[in-house]
Amino acid sequence: GSSGGVTTVDLPTCPEAISVQAGNKCAVLSLTYSNTENVSGVEVRYKTGDYPENPFDGNGLTVSGTETSISISGLANSITHYIRVFLYREIDGVKYYQTDPTNAKISVFPTAVVVTGITPAIVGENYMVIDQSGSFTLVGGDLTVYMVGGGANGGSGYTTSDTDTDEGWEVDGGGGIGGRGGSVKSFELNALEELSCVSSIGAAADYGGTNETTLQADSTKYTTKGEPYKLGGQGSRSYCEYTRKYGHYNHYSCHEGSTGQNGVLTPYGYIGSSGGGGGSLNHNSANGGTGAGNGSSYKGNPATNYGCGGGGGGGDYDPYDGGAGKQGCIILVWRESEGT
């Protein structure tokens, strides 16, 4: 409206929240809106040294509508960039900006993580996964490193020899124990200068064991050996008895299978979780931890995440194998953001 020749415009409400993730020469903003009324778009401004003072200060990009995820590319690595967003309302081609800085500023520190000599298995927004042994060079600022050894295969189901008498026969059997999770070690690594590295990735282990993962970075060696691991879930046990005299059998469940355990949560997901216990007579199996194999009354389920254990197999009349554990890996995580 207007009053005395002055036009008044209802401006957009300030963002409810802003967050950011850094990548290699890029950043991804996440915006939350408490009220989208009057919002025609977002002006994103960024520069080094200090926050932009107005919608025209520094570098920027314009995004129409109420986008919740906005990507910024072409940023220099290893330097802080100060970002400020200005929501705007457009009327007859004129943009009116909300300049209140509340929940509109954040800083970010992109980091280039460069690995040469080995191809990473996965590259995420702020992490990469190395899952093969070999020599490579690494440069990329201050990193958090997670290493996990190989997860164990789940235990097989079992039966005991039946006892056959004039009165009948009996079978004692049950599910296998879930595979234990690989040991996990985490530490900080300064890779501002190029490091000469050698990785040794622990393979999936036989039931009950673990295989270590190591990383040699210049003269320092890191290993998962001696680090704690997660035990798999106990398998179920049952007892069956068939009585000839009465022509029927009874089934006694001595205990049910127990669940596996969650390992360590990383930006990739859980690593080092243990498998669930196997079942008997088509029941009593249990789930593994996140990323590990679930127990089964038949063949145990395999692990899906690195360093996780397989599920226990089933057993009674016919024993079944446990599920496969999964090999270990090395996860490199770089700095995400510096919020203000």
Side-chain angles (χ1 to χ4, degrees):
S2 61
S3 176
V6 177
T7 300
T8 58
V9 174
D10 291 328
L11 295 175
T13 304
C14 295
E16 181 177 346
I18 181 174
S19 60
V20 67
Q21 277 194 323
N24 182 9
K25 299 183 180 180
C26 69
V28 180
L29 286 177
S30 295
L31 284 176
T32 303
Y33 304 89
S34 58
N35 185 355
T36 58
E37 186 178 5
N38 298 326
V39 180
S40 300
V42 183
E43 182 70 28
V44 180
R45 307 301 298 185
Y46 55 94
K47 65 179 187 178
T48 60
D50 201 357
Y51 289 99
E53 296 182 354
N54 56 61
F56 312 101
D57 187 16
N59 299 307
L61 65 153
T62 304
V63 179
S64 298
T66 53
E67 290 293 329
T68 58
S69 180
I70 301 173
S71 297
I72 306 172
S73 60
L75 300 178
N77 285 316
S78 302
I79 188 171
T80 300
H81 298 264
Y82 297 89
I83 303 170
R84 184 172 174 184
V85 297
F86 299 87
L87 305 186
Y88 67 84
R89 180 182 183 184
E90 187 169 359
I91 301 175
D92 296 331
V94 178
K95 293 177 180 177
Y96 300 89
Y97 296 94
Q98 172 57 264
T99 58
D100 188 330
T102 305
N103 300 328
K105 300 193 299 182
I106 199 165
S107 62
V108 68
F109 189 91
T111 302
V113 176
V114 179
V115 168
T116 306
I118 281 182
T119 301
I122 303 172
V123 178
E125 285 188 337
N126 69 316
Y127 71 93
M128 66 172 59
V129 176
I130 294 172
D131 67 355
Q132 57 182 302
S133 301
S135 300
F136 61 94
T137 59
L138 165 67
V139 63
D142 292 320
L143 307 176
T144 299
V145 181
Y146 296 90
M147 302 197 312
V148 60
N153 302 325
S156 299
Y158 68 94
T159 60
T160 60
S161 299
D162 60 77
T163 301
D164 196 349
T165 69
D166 291 340
E167 297 298 321
W169 52 263
E170 60 187 38
V171 175
D172 187 7
I177 297 174
R180 66 175 61 173
S183 299
V184 178
K185 181 178 183 63
S186 63
F187 55 93
E188 302 300 312
L189 184 65
N190 184 323
L192 286 170
E193 302 294 331
E194 186 175 274
L195 298 175
S196 178
C197 300
V198 179
S199 61
S200 177
I201 305 297
D206 292 334
Y207 166 71
T210 58
N211 287 325
E212 64 182 294
T213 290
T214 63
L215 175 66
Q216 178 87 26
D218 280 350
S219 60
T220 305
K221 185 175 182 179
Y222 305 90
T223 177
T224 60
K225 186 175 183 179
E227 298 292 330
Y229 51 78
K230 303 291 185 180
L231 286 172
Q234 186 74 26
S236 67
R237 179 174 178 266
S238 64
Y239 169 79
C240 305
E241 180 183 56
Y242 173 77
T243 306
R244 287 195 175 92
K245 183 177 179 180
Y246 300 106
H248 68 271
Y249 72 88
N250 297 313
H251 169 245
Y252 308 95
S253 181
C254 300
H255 63 249
E256 296 188 354
S258 57
T259 58
Q261 304 177 66
N262 284 339
V264 175
L265 182 60
T266 74
Y268 153 79
Y270 276 97
I271 56 176
S273 300
S274 60
S280 56
L281 283 184
N282 224 10
H283 66 283
N284 295 341
S285 60
N287 291 335
T290 304
N294 295 331
S296 173
S297 298
Y298 299 98
K299 181 174 174 56
N301 293 287
T304 55
N305 285 13
Y306 288 103
C308 294
D316 263 330
Y317 302 113
D318 296 310
Y320 292 89
D321 292 336
K326 187 163 181 175
Q327 68 170 84
C329 73
I330 297 170
I331 303 173
L332 306 175
V333 182
W334 52 91
R335 198 159 140 200
E336 290 190 40
S337 66
E338 297 176 333
T340 61

